[in-house]
Amino acid sequence: EDGNTHIYGVAAKVITRDADFNVDGIQLGHTEKATVTSLSSGWANYNNNTSNAPQLRRYGKVVSLTGTLTNTASVTVNTSHVKVFTIPSGYRPSQDVLVLCQGSGANEFVLQVKTNGDVYFGRYGTSSFTSIAANQWFPFHACWVMD
């Protein structure tokens, strides 16, 4: 039955009809999902496959971002990061997130998620920055906790 209950001394509200479970205002039992469908010019889902589109999943106050993109034209990604897409409100971090990701070959890049939701790629290369030929592989995954 829906209602308030106490679990180990913590006030909790259980809403079974929606499979929601809240503890101290933090949603634990229901996952919210979103797919980023609008990419910046010069970027596409890897292999033009929608299953590679950036996916967001929020479980309580924890958010994960996963996807695989490709650049449709040659691009230089160095210390000036390139904006790739924007994530919707409700999934944005309370502080910037930086994650080192593996790209094509031995190349690495930095994924940066800004507090305004803008997502950037930067610092592409192995030991120095390099121009990136078209149709390279950019897989990424990041997690953060929202305030």
Side-chain angles (χ1 to χ4, degrees), residues 52-87:
N52 289 322
Q55 303 285 321
L56 291 148
R57 179 171 288 191
R58 187 176 66 159
Y59 192 78
K61 292 195 176 226
V62 177
V63 176
S64 74
L65 168 65
T66 303
T68 306
L69 299 180
T70 188
N71 54 319
T72 58
S74 178
V75 65
T76 299
V77 178
N78 51 37
T79 56
S80 299
H81 293 186
V82 175
K83 182 179 171 185
V84 182
F85 59 90
T86 302
I87 60 175

Side-chain angles (χ1 to χ4, degrees), residues 80-124:
S80 299
H81 293 186
V82 175
K83 182 179 171 185
V84 182
F85 59 90
T86 302
I87 60 175
S89 61
Y91 296 91
R92 297 174 179 174
S94 55
Q95 63 185 38
D96 290 356
V97 174
L98 296 167
V99 177
L100 182 63
C101 300
Q102 182 66 48
S104 289
N107 293 298
E108 297 173 332
F109 66 99
V110 172
L111 166 77
Q112 182 178 33
V113 183
K114 306 287 279 177
T115 58
N116 67 357
D118 289 346
V119 176
Y120 294 84
F121 291 166
R123 306 185 76 84
Y124 189 88

